[in-house]
Amino acid sequence: MSALQLAAFVGTKGRGSNVKAIHAAIGEGRLNARIALIVGTSRNAPAIQWAQESDLPTAIIDPKAFADEAEYAEALLTELRAAGVDAIALAGYMRRLPSGVVSAYRHRVLNIHPALLPAFGGKGMYGHHVHEAVLAYGCKLSGCTVHFVDEDYDTGPVILQRAFPVEEGDTPESLAARILPGEHAALMDALQLLAENRLTVAGRIVHIHPSA
Ligand code: GAR
């Protein structure tokens, strides 16, 4: 079984904890992958600064520098192909992935979302906004979802979910802190399933096959 040649897409708003968890899981032999590239929209992203200090390969591609989404997609694909990437993890990337990249890497792009989709997903639902909305709605349960990325926000086929209780007195910060370790575990599990070729997709159903 060959290692995933993984690109992690990070955003400016996250802490970079998911990409750090990927790096740690690879180092500890829990994930059969290599970080081939860390892609950011800005040099100021905490995850990019960490990657550069850790001597991991980075590419800064600012979508605002391109005339349209197709040109942004081409720039991304050029970098991804040059780095030999065969799978992508969106780890705090808060934008919609250009459709050119989605179709070139169909069912090879995973996103981690901090809620139980299809609840609390969609444009603008990222990071603390998600936890605020869960609390405002009065949910008693939240969690995280790893899903394949399609052309829209948070709508692709679900791979894994983990649930956590909402507790009396929770704040967006306390709820996020309870869920975050689950995000890391679910993302690693899903990536390892992908590395082991154990995921197939039929319509919107992801089948998880037993290990060989
Ligand atoms: C994570 O909680 C992730 O689930 C969320 O952004 C955070 C990034 O944290 N992603 C979304 O909300 C996507 N819609 P990190 O930078 O510490 O990995």
Side-chain angles (χ1 to χ4, degrees):
M1 188 191 13
S2 54
L4 286 182
Q5 300 300 310
L6 191 62
F9 279 47
V10 298
T12 49
K13 299 196 175 75
R15 303 137 289 200
S17 75
N18 276 287
V19 74
K20 288 178 193 166
I22 291 172
H23 185 59
I26 293 171
E28 291 160 18
R30 290 182 284 118
L31 177 57
N32 185 23
R34 183 180 77 89
I35 297 181
L37 195 61
I38 298 183
V39 180
T41 54
S42 155
R43 210 161 281 287
N44 299 325
I48 292 293
Q49 290 176 357
W50 167 80
Q52 290 177 343
E53 283 157 17
S54 310
D55 285 330
L56 291 166
T58 57
I60 310 300
I61 307 177
D62 179 358
K64 291 197 281 299
F66 300 94
D68 56 26
E69 192 194 81
E71 279 189 19
Y72 175 44
E74 270 316 307
L76 288 169
L77 287 171
T78 300
E79 291 285 346
L80 294 168
R81 288 178 181 136
V85 167
D86 62 19
I88 299 171
L90 304 187
Y93 179 76
M94 310 304 194
R95 314 177 60 87
R96 198 165 54 78
L97 192 66
S99 57
V101 178
V102 176
S103 53
Y105 284 89
R106 179 75 59 195
H107 299 151
R108 306 290 301 172
V109 187
L110 278 62
N111 179 46
I112 176 73
H113 183 78
L116 294 172
L117 293 172
F120 305 107
K123 191 168 194 289
M125 273 294 175
Y126 59 83
H128 67 97
H129 299 292
V130 176
H131 306 296
E132 282 164 12
V134 167
L135 292 175
Y137 197 88
C139 289
K140 302 302 185 201
L141 201 59
S142 191
C144 58
T145 303
V146 185
H147 64 93
F148 283 121
V149 171
D150 66 8
E151 281 76 2
D152 210 340
Y153 285 96
D154 302 325
T155 52
V158 171
I159 303 169
L160 293 175
Q161 294 186 298
R162 293 192 179 206
F164 294 87
V166 176
E167 289 173 5
E168 199 63 39
D170 257 339
T171 60
E173 292 73 28
S174 65
L175 182 57
R178 190 172 309 116
I179 292 171
L180 192 64
E183 291 190 29
H184 298 163
L187 182 59
M188 289 338 113
D189 288 352
L191 286 169
Q192 183 59 23
L193 287 168
L194 189 69
E196 293 175 16
N197 283 319
R198 289 174 55 196
L199 301 174
T200 56
V201 185
R204 51 169 310 110
I205 309 302
V206 177
H207 295 287
I208 300 176
H209 301 278
S211 53

